[in-house]
Amino acid sequence: MFFLRREIKRLNRQLGEIIQADTNARLTTSASDKDAEAFAATVNAMLERHRRGLHEKGRAEAALKRAVTNISHDLRTPLTAALGYLQMLEPSGPDGDTGARYIQTVRERLEALSSLMNSLFEFARVIEGDTAFEFKQVNVCNVLRDVLSDSHAELEAKGFAVDADIPDAPVVCLCDEDALRRILQNLMKNVCVHGKELLRVRAQDGVIEIANKAEGLSASDMERIFERFYTADAARTSQSTGLGLAIAKELIERMGGRVSASMEDNLLIMRVTLPIRAA
């Protein structure tokens, strides 16, 4: 009992020092007693869990600050531009072709703002679980062909060479067809906005692969590319809200699938894996 009491005091002193210094140290016991060792192991597990919680909280707070900064920028930019052009359209301002150009610019800025607000609304619904899924067997290949066809005009206008390998045999998964279509549309929109020259589409064994030529992306971009409001464009000069891929990831995971991104030979490759069911 004497040795156990002394060991408890020593462990308590260690714990106090760890808490006060806020270090990553662990409790150690010199007593050859299984109960003392088990107690130290339990406390160490609690300390590790607490540290992980603090780390995740710090990351969440940093992400929230970035999100607030980015969304403030995205809301302010089109509004400021629209107001500026409206001022130039006042009675004493230009007319004719110049006025028409100003009106078109205002329309584009307000449409960009409307797109951002719609994305925010959709993302809020997804993360709050307000989106109801209707699970059924869906031929992934048919949905992928539809989305690719819908994007054809924009891809052609931007000079993409499209290499598609979609099997004729059905690849069936249990999912919500509208959600799957939205996921693929968001991935394709990312290609149209940020990609260049080449689009490669593959579908096999429940894995959909969408790849496009990309430059200037780093390993850290791959780690954060599905974060809400994240864009690799530091200047944020593109028309991306940084929400499309976050929405896609949330929808995929809620349907029991997963999505990943990697860089291979200057290609940004998005891989969507869905739960397969026999056709």
Side-chain angles (χ1 to χ4, degrees):
M1 289 296 296
F2 169 76
F3 287 112
L4 283 176
R5 291 185 63 182
R6 186 175 67 179
E7 186 63 15
I8 290 172
K9 289 181 179 179
R10 196 178 70 83
L11 289 171
N12 187 54
R13 184 170 62 253
Q14 279 189 66
L15 184 58
E17 291 172 354
I18 291 172
I19 293 173
Q20 184 173 3
D22 192 22
T23 69
N24 290 327
R26 296 169 60 86
L27 287 184
T28 59
T29 177
S30 59
S32 56
D33 182 86
K34 292 183 179 180
D35 289 333
E37 291 175 354
F39 173 75
T42 300
V43 173
N44 284 332
M46 292 177 63
L47 287 172
E48 181 61 26
R49 183 176 179 180
H50 176 67
R51 288 163 184 155
R52 286 199 305 268
L54 290 177
H55 178 68
E56 291 300 320
K57 180 182 177 182
R59 288 187 58 184
E61 289 177 349
L64 178 60
K65 289 179 181 178
R66 289 195 302 269
V68 171
T69 299
N70 291 341
I71 194 172
S72 297
H73 182 281
D74 289 339
L75 288 171
R76 184 171 61 248
T77 299
L79 282 175
T80 301
L83 289 172
Y85 280 100
L86 285 174
Q87 288 177 355
M88 288 186 284
L89 284 171
E90 290 177 350
S92 59
D95 54 12
D97 293 340
T98 302
R101 287 199 304 272
Y102 288 168
I103 292 174
Q104 179 62 27
T105 301
V106 171
R107 180 179 293 109
E108 290 172 356
R109 297 298 189 272
L110 293 179
E111 286 175 351
L113 181 58
S114 176
S115 176
L116 173 61
M117 297 306 296
N118 288 337
S119 295
L120 284 170
F121 177 71
E122 181 182 4
F123 186 74
R125 288 184 59 198
V126 171
I127 62 175
E128 290 297 329
D130 290 340
T131 302
F133 287 154
E134 181 183 349
F135 287 93
K136 61 182 180 180
Q137 290 193 340
V138 177
N139 184 352
V140 173
C141 297
N142 288 344
V143 179
L144 183 55
R145 288 190 192 94
D146 289 345
V147 171
L148 188 58
S149 177
D150 292 340
S151 304
H152 175 75
E154 186 171 3
L155 291 169
E156 187 175 44
K158 294 189 175 182
F160 276 88
V162 179
D163 176 14
D165 184 7
I166 305 173
D168 294 329
V171 177
V172 178
C173 73
L174 186 65
C175 66
D176 181 283
E177 184 172 349
D178 290 337
L180 176 60
R181 190 178 303 276
R182 182 58 170 161
I183 290 164
L184 297 178
Q185 287 172 341
N186 285 8
L187 297 184
M188 202 65 67
K189 183 64 176 178
N190 185 73
V191 171
C192 292
V193 172
H194 299 289
K196 57 168 57 176
E197 298 179 16
L198 173 66
L199 167 65
R200 191 181 73 198
V201 180
R202 300 284 187 269
Q204 185 178 10
D205 299 331
V207 178
I208 300 171
E209 183 180 289
I210 297 176
N212 62 273
K213 187 173 181 180
E215 297 175 352
L217 296 178
S218 64
S220 62
D221 290 324
M222 295 302 97
E223 293 174 359
R224 298 183 56 197
I225 198 166
F226 295 105
E227 287 183 11
R228 65 195 73 173
F229 301 109
Y230 179 73
T231 68
D233 175 20
R236 300 187 65 79
T237 55
S238 71
Q239 295 181 2
S240 171
T241 65
L243 280 172
L245 294 183
I247 291 171
K249 180 176 184 292
E250 191 75 24
L251 290 173
I252 291 167
E253 292 180 348
R254 287 191 60 199
M255 292 195 296
R258 63 184 184 275
V259 63
S260 63
S262 62
M263 285 294 297
E264 300 175 19
D265 299 327
N266 289 326
L267 288 179
L268 170 60
I269 301 177
M270 302 278 189
R271 291 187 177 91
V272 177
T273 304
L274 294 164
I276 295 301
R277 298 293 183 271

